[in-house]
């Protein structure tokens, strides 16, 4: 008698066999791509809490992720780590961070991006590139940029194209509907 594995188990077995054939570096990249929380632990030495890990893993598999929560619960910390994970894992890529005001962009999310980059360096994983106040440039096609959304200006996002694009809108409740339309347009390509 022969038994056939159900299709989903056969696919899993084939995927596992393919995974085993990868080099250790390729396996690590597959794991870090699927589990950004593990990338953060390894690279920065920081430990996202359970809900943050869930959000990061959702980001790894979903085209859009929205996080609604209270004040001072780590959203900006998380957004900054997601930005640097994305830059490190996907090349070339562009990360755009935005918020309603320049103060929020500069003193909240980019302050966290700088802190995460410093943590990675202290942990023995310098991430490279040229990190400035609201930009992090690795090449013309691989960078992060932060800017405030001007009210009702969806054109602020025009011209942003990349094979891998991540847009992080911090304090999203303060972003106008026309600007959201601009963000969605750039994400659609």
């Amino acid at each position: 008698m022969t038994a056939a594995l159900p299709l989903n188990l056969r696919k899993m077995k084939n995927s596992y066999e393919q995974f085993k054939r990868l080099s250790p570096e390729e396996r690590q990249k597959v794991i870090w791509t699927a589990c950004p929380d593990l990338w953060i632990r390894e690279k920065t030495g920081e430990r996202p809490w359970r809900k943050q890990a869930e959000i990061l893993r959702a980001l790894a598999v979903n085209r859009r992720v929205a996080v609604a929560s209270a004040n001072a619960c780590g959203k900006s910390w998380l957004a900054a780590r997601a930005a640097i994970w994305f830059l490190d894992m996907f090349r070339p890529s562009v990360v755009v961070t935005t918020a309603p005001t320049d103060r929020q962009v500069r003193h909240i999310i980019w302050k966290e991006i700088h802190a995460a980059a410093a943590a990675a360096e202290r942990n023995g994983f310098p991430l490279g590139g040229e990190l400035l106040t609201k930009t992090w440039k690795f090449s013309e096609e691989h960078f992060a940029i932060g800017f405030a959304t001007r009210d009702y200006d969806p054109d602020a996002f025009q011209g942003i194209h990349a094979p891998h694009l991540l847009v992080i809108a911090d304090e999203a409740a303060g972003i106008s509907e026309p600007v959201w339309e601009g963000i969605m347009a750039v994400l659609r390509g």
Side-chain angles (χ1 to χ4, degrees):
M1 176 176 154
T2 17
L5 290 173
L7 182 60
N8 59 345
L9 288 178
R10 281 185 288 185
K11 285 182 181 177
M12 247 171 41
K13 184 178 180 197
N14 290 340
S15 294
Y16 178 69
E17 294 301 322
Q18 290 173 341
F19 183 78
K20 285 190 337 187
R21 287 193 290 272
L22 296 174
S23 71
E25 294 81 15
E26 291 169 323
R27 275 188 242 144
Q28 188 64 69
K29 182 167 176 142
V30 168
I31 291 167
W32 283 346
T33 301
C35 303
D37 55 307
L38 298 181
W39 180 93
I40 291 168
R41 285 179 180 213
E42 180 72 24
K43 295 280 184 153
T44 71
E46 301 166 324
R47 299 177 83 69
W49 52 280
R50 184 185 53 78
K51 199 59 161 170
Q52 289 173 325
E54 287 176 26
I55 293 164
L56 287 162
R57 290 186 184 199
L59 181 63
V61 296
N62 294 294
R63 193 149 166 75
R64 282 188 245 165
V65 175
V67 179
S69 68
N71 291 331
C73 61
K75 292 185 308 290
S76 298
W77 182 94
L78 180 66
R81 274 67 185 173
I84 67 170
W85 160 78
F86 195 86
L87 281 171
D88 195 44
M89 298 310 301
F90 301 101
R91 294 174 187 262
S93 64
V94 173
V95 174
V96 177
T97 66
T98 192
T101 69
D102 186 65
R103 181 195 62 78
Q104 290 165 318
V105 173
R106 180 187 309 261
H107 296 293
I108 298 175
I109 193 162
W110 277 84
K111 179 181 174 186
E112 287 291 350
I113 287 172
H114 282 261
E121 186 150 352
R122 280 191 309 275
N123 207 36
F125 293 101
L127 298 171
E130 182 182 8
L131 180 57
L132 302 174
T133 306
K134 296 187 297 183
T135 60
W136 196 349
K137 188 173 181 180
F138 295 84
S139 72
E140 291 296 322
E141 299 84 30
H142 188 70
F143 60 91
I145 185 167
F147 60 87
T149 56
R150 287 176 279 145
D151 282 341
Y152 309 106
D153 186 8
D155 298 335
F157 291 87
Q158 285 187 352
I160 299 171
H161 306 286
H164 304 285
L165 175 64
L166 176 64
V167 177
I168 297 172
D170 202 14
E171 303 299 337
I175 297 175
S176 68
E177 187 63 34
V179 170
W180 274 114
E181 290 170 14
I183 291 171
M184 291 299 126
V186 88
L187 289 174
R188 283 191 293 271

